[in-house]
Amino acid sequence: MQPAARPRRSCLAVPGSSPRFIAKAQGLDADEVFLDLEDAVAPAAKPAARRAVAQALRDGGWGGRVMAVRINDVTTAWAYRDVVDVVEQAGPHLDAIVLPKVTGPGHVVWLDLLLGQIEQAKGYPVGAIGIEAQIEDARGLAAVDAIAAASPRLAALVFGPADFMASLGMRSLDIGAQPAGYAGGDAFHYPLLRLLVAARAHGLQAIDGPYAAIADTEGLARAAASVAALGFDGKWVLHPGQVGPVNEAFSPSQQDYDRAERILAAYAHYTGEDQRGAALLDGQMIDEASRKLALVTAARGRAAGLTPTRGAVPG
Ligand code: GLV
Ligand code: MG
């Protein structure tokens, strides 16, 4: 993972056509808000939604969180105007564009070039707007390595379970939940791990998609804890009630965070003053690989605002 990347534990989807939801999103604790122009906006409402999204970005009040807009996919008639209108009107207030239904590197290259043209024409810093590529069908997953390498603007790969389930023909109507009847364990294990490996091979964050059963907080927490354990950085949320459980799932516990800081401090001492490569700490051998693992947890803990418990880490 990139320790310096901005946290994206919870990425809140907000329909770009709903001023009420846009206003409400400002008060929530999501690490990222993305204003949607794609599947949450009806075709006839898309032009007005573009204007509303650009206005909401320009108006500000979003704090330090990552601000993104999901445009329509590159095969639609809407995609180019989504980019042109939103970026021309509000580019300096935009951190990233979420590009859905990416099936090959050409989609990302198209967006990269178009963004570069608008940035130059408007005098914005070139390359400042990032791209989050949604992998949500069989073709996208098959091409995920090439997609992950397609542009230096890429910040994250995002798994899209709803479209992915449809693409594969999974027998389920419950987005993000395990398909009933599947006896092989986690039906999403392969695509999630595949996406994660491609993301990490190119220094990108890995984000899981939505869990649609809003009232099922337990199921959401289980799904989030599982991908967090695998190594993912965050997950989409669709409702204010999903933000807290998802932030929690992607933040290390105080105990794990303390332990990570303790490993880092002890390892620095052993390799520095004692000039040893491996040592015993709290009954476990630690070496250079332990330091790398501890760095991941420590970086996530610091990003989540944790500080070491007094006395847990040698000073
Ligand atoms: C999100 O876009 C999904 O398809 O799950
Ligand atoms: Mg989708």
Side-chain angles (χ1 to χ4, degrees):
M1 98 149 177
Q2 296 172 292
R6 291 168 75 186
R8 282 180 166 91
R9 293 170 305 172
S10 51
C11 304
L12 177 69
V14 180
S17 52
S18 168
R20 190 165 68 86
F21 287 149
I22 291 176
K24 176 127 202 203
Q26 294 201 322
L28 302 178
D29 203 17
D31 288 342
E32 172 177 315
V33 167
F34 75 86
L35 305 173
D36 195 12
L37 295 175
E38 201 217 18
D39 285 357
V41 177
K46 291 196 195 274
R50 286 185 196 120
R51 286 191 294 276
V53 161
Q55 186 68 49
L57 289 168
R58 274 204 315 272
D59 286 349
W62 294 102
R65 62 168 63 89
V66 177
M67 284 307 295
V69 171
R70 179 165 73 163
I71 62 168
N72 290 277
D73 83 79
V74 304
T75 66
T76 65
W78 300 299
Y80 79 101
R81 187 141 299 285
D82 290 344
V83 183
V84 172
D85 283 8
V86 171
V87 178
E88 279 193 353
Q89 291 167 35
H93 308 278
L94 185 63
D95 296 303
I97 290 202
V98 180
L99 185 61
K101 301 182 177 66
V102 177
T103 61
H107 291 199
V108 177
V109 171
W110 167 82
L111 180 56
D112 182 332
L113 293 173
L114 183 53
L115 283 171
Q117 291 162 19
I118 301 169
E119 286 166 341
Q120 289 178 68
K122 298 293 286 183
Y124 302 155
V126 174
I129 298 174
I131 298 175
E132 301 179 19
Q134 276 192 277
I135 305 298
E136 40 186 357
D137 68 5
R139 286 179 63 197
L141 192 64
V144 70
D145 287 314
I147 291 168
S151 163
R153 290 181 191 268
L154 278 164
L157 299 181
V158 182
F159 181 56
D163 280 296
F164 188 81
M165 292 162 85
S167 160
L168 257 62
M170 277 191 186
R171 200 177 55 193
S172 171
L173 295 170
D174 298 321
I175 296 166
Q178 296 296 320
Y182 180 63
D186 179 357
F188 300 111
H189 179 72
Y190 171 70
L192 289 171
L193 197 59
R194 186 73 196 82
L195 182 151
L196 180 61
V197 169
R200 295 298 187 243
H202 294 90
L204 309 180
Q205 290 185 322
I207 310 295
D208 189 21
Y211 188 88
I214 301 302
D216 181 11
T217 318
E218 256 176 46
L220 168 76
R222 232 184 354 259
S226 178
V227 285
L230 198 59
F232 271 59
D233 300 284
K235 182 168 175 62
W236 278 14
V237 289
L238 304 176
H239 184 270
Q242 293 189 325
V243 176
V246 167
N247 280 347
E248 196 183 320
F250 288 94
S251 307
S253 67
Q254 182 70 45
Q255 199 183 4
D256 286 349
Y257 171 68
D258 283 343
R259 184 157 169 238
E261 294 285 15
R262 196 169 149 68
I263 290 171
L264 293 178
Y267 188 68
H269 174 81
Y270 290 136
T271 51
E273 264 170 60
D274 291 6
Q275 302 208 345
R276 282 192 283 158
L280 201 61
L281 178 74
D282 302 333
Q284 288 201 22
M285 286 306 291
I286 58 165
D287 64 5
E288 176 58 22
S290 322
R291 186 187 70 88
K292 289 198 184 101
L293 259 180
L295 272 178
V296 173
T297 300
R300 286 197 171 124
R302 290 171 203 160
L306 295 181
T307 51
T309 306
R310 192 196 271 256
V313 183

